[in-house]
Amino acid sequence: MDKTSEEASSKGKKRQRDQQPTDPQTNQPHHQIFSLEDNLSFTDTLVALRMMRAQFPRIDKVSIQPFILRSQLYSSVKDRTQVDRELESLRREKVVRIFKLNTGQDDHAIMFLDDYLNQMENVVKRLEEKEGDQVFKWFRTHVIDSKLEPSIEHQELYTLLSLGGMVKDGHISLLINAGLLLIDPNMYWFAIPNIGSVLKGLSQGRKEVLSFLNRRRYKEMMLASMEKKCLRFSPLDMRFHLRDLIGSGHLKTVQTSTGLLVRVSKD
Amino acid sequence: MWKEIGDRERGILRPKSFTTRIKSNRIRTLQISNHKDIVSPHRASINSLQVDLTEGRYLLSGAADASAAVYDVQRATDYEGGGLIAKHKCLFVVDKQHEHGHKYAISSAIWYPVDTGLFITGSHDHHINVWDTNTTQVVMNFKMPGKVYRTAMSSLATTHMLIAAGTEDVQVRLCDIASGAFSHTLSGHRDGVMTVEWSTSSEWVLVTGGCDGAIRFWDIRRAGCFLVLDQSHSQLGRRPTIPEHSATNKALTSKSLSSGQNLNAKPRAQQRKLANGNGTKQSPVGRMPAKGSLRQRLHPGMLSSLDRATAHYGAVTGLKATEDGMYLLSAGSDSRLRLWDVESGCNTLVNFETVRLQAGKPIQLATSQDSALVFVPCMTAVKAFDVWSGNTSQTFRGHYEYVNSCWFSSQEQELYTGGNDKQILVWSPPRMKDLLRIGITGVIDICS
């Protein structure tokens, strides 16, 4: 019953669908103009992302590609709405991918698509499963390419993977074991593989910075001296944490005559 | 201000723009009122505030000690400080001692939209009472299956007088005052419903926000909801941009309501700069065959219960529609405030800088009349945000504890806020007398 109604509605659209193959041809020059390599206009957000990616701290124990937290972008670019919108258009153009993290409320990690694919490659190489190989390929070509949101429903994952071949339940557990998907009742969240220890360091580092400032008499410190401090519990450097906390509103910066001052915000 | 009056006199400024200019100037100078004080008889936190919609004169407040009180905000009951401070005591209070009063906290108190003869209170004792204001008697009583979180009546309704009630039960019930019975039960939410609001553009459309994080739009003339807001469907701007190849692309992309298959309104305009045509759309190929078997068993109106899209990562704690009915503001317990375009069902991605919002209790948001500012209770302060850019315009700090509700009276350009510290605070623009006195003598002399 549903199929016939769908056919009925598509009949009205048939004419447009015939026209559609011709459209991409006229669109070709447009695509080339707007591809990232040729695009000479950089948005503030893209510049900030590239800068922070270059400044990502080197972690010795884990090999992880650079990622940026959303709150760090908010601390660098003044207008938050503009950041959100530019990030959204970058995501739609498949330049970056956004992942929801489970550290705290509404934390998102942004990773350039190339970095994410490299990270996936490294993880898959290490696993070396025989039948598993195909699942990762299907995942990469069908799911990552078409599903740009941070989460996916079970049915949809199943159907997208089936575009590659016969999917068994064991395949999906392979993906979960590799750390590419996180299970939630009825849906899956995309995740960055091998990131667990870094996330633990992230939340511990946040707590350490906040408790350090809270212990001080006036709950503030000069930014210059803060940046030189080393963190005991986090592999990520102080600058990473400061940007994150300032962007999420836990800390605020005040301009003084001797430089920037970092203060715990009370609200 | 004198220049504006002169321009108006000479006819350079039109009457409407004159009034909006004066009003917005006054709103920008809101501060805690130094000439008006509301004496609240409540002995527990204030959960709900509303000024009546007909005259804008009577303020109704509902508190957690099961008391509801009405104040006249235009005429003071007495004056203090040599006639400088107007004290507004309550005209009457109904509380636990009343024979038909509520037993537990009142979570929502609203006026009957047509006149001030009736008011409706919803309480945690599972009852909704309809009171007659003049005799302070309960004329009607509805028993709900769970604690009532919010009640709402449509201010546009001419053909119905339904009270929409959001309770801790998953179903939203509509109670009819005319017949005294329940007229509708709306199912679709997966958890309790914390906020209900009627649409400001249609008397048949109800918006509900649930503890499961979903915001659903219901047309009460049909079964099921017709729109579920999804935070991942977004548009870059106030209205979706018109695509370049508009005619052909629109027909291809507007598959949102075709034969009730998928009930998400999809964003229509991402065609312009994308490298490929279908950048963000979930491929309908993937969805259909998997759900075909399930679909045959459900009534088409109930398909929306399969939709698990969420508008917030936590519960939806506050909803407010703009006056023109085109945009909807929602606050969630994930401490995010989102602005939705009702027409396309998309998130407009305006970022409101809220660090923390109160979770666990429904909060009441208020918008200024031209919808340029939204007043949001953020913990112990009330912040005014610019709706279109998300910047914080003003912060009102005065309450000692969390603020639960605020109401903006556009007639007087005054903001009333009530919180857990049992106080109702009035925020008003400074009076002309004070401005002149400060200007001339240079000394602030409020209480002589």
Side-chain angles (χ1 to χ4, degrees):
Chain A
M1 181 177 83
D2 291 316
K3 296 252 171 77
T4 52
S5 58
E6 207 258 341
E7 274 176 84
S9 63
S10 68
K11 260 195 191 146
K13 294 176 196 160
K14 225 177 184 175
R15 197 163 288 174
Q16 286 99 345
R17 238 189 253 153
D18 284 334
Q19 283 176 6
Q20 196 198 14
T22 60
D23 272 347
Q25 291 167 13
T26 56
N27 268 344
Q28 275 310 108
H30 276 297
H31 297 173
Q32 287 167 358
I33 291 175
F34 287 123
S35 82
L36 209 57
E37 286 79 43
D38 302 334
N39 194 357
L40 290 175
S41 69
F42 291 107
T43 56
D44 279 350
T45 318
L46 189 59
V47 171
L49 280 170
R50 288 198 170 181
M51 181 186 79
M52 287 192 222
R53 181 184 178 276
Q55 291 174 344
F56 191 76
R58 266 205 56 199
I59 306 169
D60 298 322
K61 283 177 244 169
V62 192
S63 75
I64 185 163
Q65 300 289 323
F67 65 91
I68 302 111
L69 294 174
R70 206 177 192 144
S71 43
Q72 293 178 325
L73 278 181
Y74 291 151
S75 71
S76 309
V77 184
K78 204 166 169 206
D79 186 0
R80 292 182 177 212
T81 308
Q82 183 194 359
V83 170
D84 275 352
R85 289 182 176 162
E86 285 170 3
L87 205 56
E88 179 65 22
S89 37
L90 283 174
R91 186 184 69 87
R92 286 179 190 175
E93 289 167 14
K94 296 193 201 168
V95 175
V96 297
R97 243 195 118 82
I98 303 186
F99 302 93
K100 184 166 185 308
L101 301 177
N102 56 0
T103 54
Q105 33 168 238
D106 212 9
D107 261 346
H108 292 267
I110 305 158
M111 222 186 199
F112 280 92
L113 191 63
D114 308 317
D115 290 339
Y116 177 60
L117 293 174
N118 285 341
Q119 178 85 4
M120 238 175 68
E121 286 288 321
N122 295 342
V123 169
V124 170
K125 241 182 281 178
R126 233 174 283 148
L127 280 184
E128 288 178 354
E129 284 270 349
K130 226 170 169 206
E131 23 172 278
D133 244 1
Q134 305 167 316
V135 188
F136 296 116
K137 251 183 257 150
W138 300 338
F139 188 71
R140 187 184 171 138
T141 42
H142 300 291
V143 183
I144 299 283
D145 213 41
S146 48
K147 184 75 181 172
L148 301 173
E149 277 93 42
S151 65
I152 186 170
E153 280 191 21
H154 177 77
Q155 281 299 334
E156 203 176 343
L157 178 67
Y158 202 81
T159 25
L160 284 172
L161 282 177
S162 316
L163 293 174
M166 271 299 296
V167 182
K168 295 184 214 125
D169 282 337
H171 289 149
I172 299 189
S173 355
L174 268 174
L175 286 172
I176 297 173
N177 286 338
L180 290 165
L181 287 177
L182 285 175
I183 200 165
D184 204 19
N186 292 311
M187 58 191 264
Y188 300 99
W189 294 99
F190 290 111
I192 306 173
N194 265 351
I195 203 179
S197 52
V198 181
L199 288 186
K200 184 168 179 215
L202 177 69
S203 31
Q204 283 183 328
R206 277 179 182 164
K207 267 191 255 172
E208 194 184 340
V209 174
L210 283 175
S211 67
F212 170 71
L213 275 176
N214 273 320
R215 268 183 283 135
R216 290 178 73 82
R217 193 164 174 191
Y218 293 109
K219 306 202 197 309
E220 62 190 16
M221 192 170 177
M222 296 300 298
L223 185 69
S225 34
M226 267 220 92
E227 284 196 332
K228 293 194 198 117
K229 283 196 62 69
C230 262
L231 287 170
R232 277 169 49 197
F233 299 111
S234 169
L236 302 159
D237 63 353
M238 178 61 97
R239 186 169 47 180
F240 188 94
H241 285 293
L242 278 177
R243 280 192 178 138
D244 166 47
L245 288 168
I246 292 170
S248 58
H250 291 99
L251 296 178
K252 62 174 190 272
T253 50
V254 179
Q255 187 68 254
T256 62
S257 45
T258 44
L260 276 177
L261 189 69
V262 176
R263 189 181 286 167
V264 177
S265 67
K266 45 163 185 73
D267 202 2
Chain B
M1 158 128 165
W2 301 115
K3 183 179 186 304
E4 270 124 9
I5 294 179
D7 284 343
R8 173 77 193 93
E9 239 183 330
R10 282 190 289 276
I12 299 173
L13 206 52
R14 310 209 130 249
K16 193 75 207 282
S17 43
F18 176 66
T19 43
T20 39
R21 233 182 255 200
I22 301 276
K23 279 188 180 178
S24 46
N25 283 341
R26 278 168 64 86
I27 293 173
R28 304 273 168 210
T29 57
L30 277 179
Q31 59 188 40
I32 194 156
S33 179
N34 52 11
H35 56 87
K36 205 179 227 187
D37 192 19
I38 294 183
V39 180
S40 124
H42 300 295
R43 278 193 281 262
S45 36
I46 294 176
N47 288 333
S48 159
L49 286 176
Q50 196 193 35
V51 173
D52 75 289
L53 304 163
T54 40
E55 286 178 283
R57 185 171 171 179
Y58 298 103
L59 174 68
L60 172 66
S61 66
D65 62 348
S67 61
V70 172
Y71 318 83
D72 182 341
V73 290
Q74 287 179 4
R75 283 178 64 98
T77 49
D78 45 54
Y79 289 89
E80 258 185 35
L84 287 169
I85 300 184
K87 289 272 186 206
H88 297 256
K89 291 213 180 72
C90 65
L91 300 175
F92 64 84
V93 177
V94 287
D95 56 6
K96 281 187 196 167
Q97 270 82 44
H98 193 280
E99 51 174 341
H100 295 295
H102 288 291
K103 307 267 176 314
Y104 298 134
I106 290 182
S107 55
S108 161
I110 54 174
W111 286 107
Y112 180 51
V114 179
D115 60 37
T116 50
L118 288 178
F119 65 91
I120 294 114
T121 54
S123 149
H124 284 186
D125 68 357
H126 303 350
H127 282 269
I128 292 182
N129 285 349
V130 180
W131 303 78
D132 178 331
T133 322
N134 296 312
T135 57
T136 58
Q137 295 298 319
V138 177
V139 292
M140 208 174 281
N141 183 308
F142 297 97
K143 175 129 180 48
M144 296 284 143
K147 285 191 214 169
V148 180
Y149 286 134
R150 263 293 166 239
T151 52
M153 281 194 80
S154 174
S155 50
L156 304 172
T158 50
T159 50
H160 66 80
M161 17 171 148
L162 297 173
I163 305 172
T167 62
E168 56 178 0
D169 184 43
V170 298
Q171 292 175 327
V172 180
R173 282 182 168 70
L174 296 181
C175 318
D176 189 8
I177 302 184
S179 61
F182 296 112
S183 68
H184 290 68
T185 302
L186 308 172
S187 336
H189 278 286
R190 291 169 191 283
D191 202 353
V193 178
M194 248 196 197
T195 59
V196 282
E197 283 286 325
W198 286 90
S199 159
T200 44
S201 57
S202 165
E203 58 174 326
W204 308 109
V205 176
L206 179 68
V207 189
T208 58
C211 295
D212 54 352
I215 296 178
R216 285 168 183 259
F217 280 70
W218 312 84
D219 184 329
I220 61 175
R221 296 169 292 184
R222 343 181 225 164
C225 72
F226 65 89
L227 180 59
V228 182
L229 295 180
D230 188 346
Q231 57 184 315
S232 51
H233 288 162
S234 46
Q235 69 191 28
L236 308 170
R238 259 162 95 155
R239 299 288 306 147
T241 48
I242 302 168
E244 277 176 5
H245 314 281
S246 52
T248 48
N249 286 345
K250 257 204 170 162
L252 284 174
T253 60
S254 60
K255 340 180 173 55
S256 44
L257 298 170
S258 58
S259 58
Q261 279 167 2
N262 45 12
L263 293 152
N264 284 342
K266 297 242 163 71
R268 260 168 240 153
Q270 306 105 15
Q271 303 299 324
R272 247 200 317 194
K273 286 190 182 176
L274 289 186
N276 52 343
N278 275 340
T280 58
K281 271 170 261 338
Q282 302 163 359
S283 52
V285 179
R287 283 256 203 132
M288 270 184 25
K291 286 199 175 167
S293 55
L294 281 172
R295 205 168 276 141
Q296 278 157 12
R297 285 184 228 141
L298 280 180
H299 185 276
M302 296 313 292
L303 282 175
S304 63
S305 59
L306 292 174
D307 194 336
R308 288 158 191 273
T310 55
H312 281 271
Y313 286 123
V316 179
T317 50
L319 280 179
K320 183 85 179 138
T322 55
E323 294 270 323
D324 52 5
M326 288 180 59
Y327 297 95
L328 179 73
L329 281 152
S330 69
S333 64
D334 58 348
S335 302
R336 293 279 171 272
L337 202 63
R338 295 193 209 273
L339 181 69
W340 305 87
D341 179 345
V342 170
E343 172 69 34
S344 60
C346 292
N347 181 356
T348 55
L349 291 180
V350 179
N351 192 308
F352 296 93
E353 211 177 307
T354 47
V355 179
R356 262 187 86 188
L357 286 178
Q358 204 180 25
K361 223 178 176 179
I363 56 176
Q364 213 176 341
L365 311 173
T367 48
S368 65
Q369 191 174 28
D370 53 352
S371 306
L373 283 182
V374 56
F375 300 96
V376 182
C378 297
M379 309 309 273
T380 56
V382 176
K383 290 199 184 160
F385 294 100
D386 177 54
V387 170
W388 311 116
S389 67
N391 297 328
T392 311
S393 148
Q394 286 155 288
T395 307
F396 302 105
R397 287 182 212 277
H399 280 278
Y400 295 126
E401 290 181 43
Y402 294 164
V403 183
N404 292 326
S405 61
C406 44
W407 186 269
F408 183 74
S409 157
S410 47
Q411 250 182 4
E412 323 264 323
Q413 293 93 50
E414 275 177 1
L415 178 69
Y416 307 104
T417 57
N420 286 353
D421 58 356
K422 311 167 202 163
Q423 298 296 321
I424 299 179
L425 293 182
V426 183
W427 308 81
S428 58
R431 278 188 303 192
M432 276 308 288
K433 277 194 277 182
D434 302 329
L435 287 175
L436 287 173
R437 195 183 299 142
I438 293 167
I440 292 171
T441 64
V443 175
I444 301 176
D445 180 21
I446 307 296
C447 284
S448 53

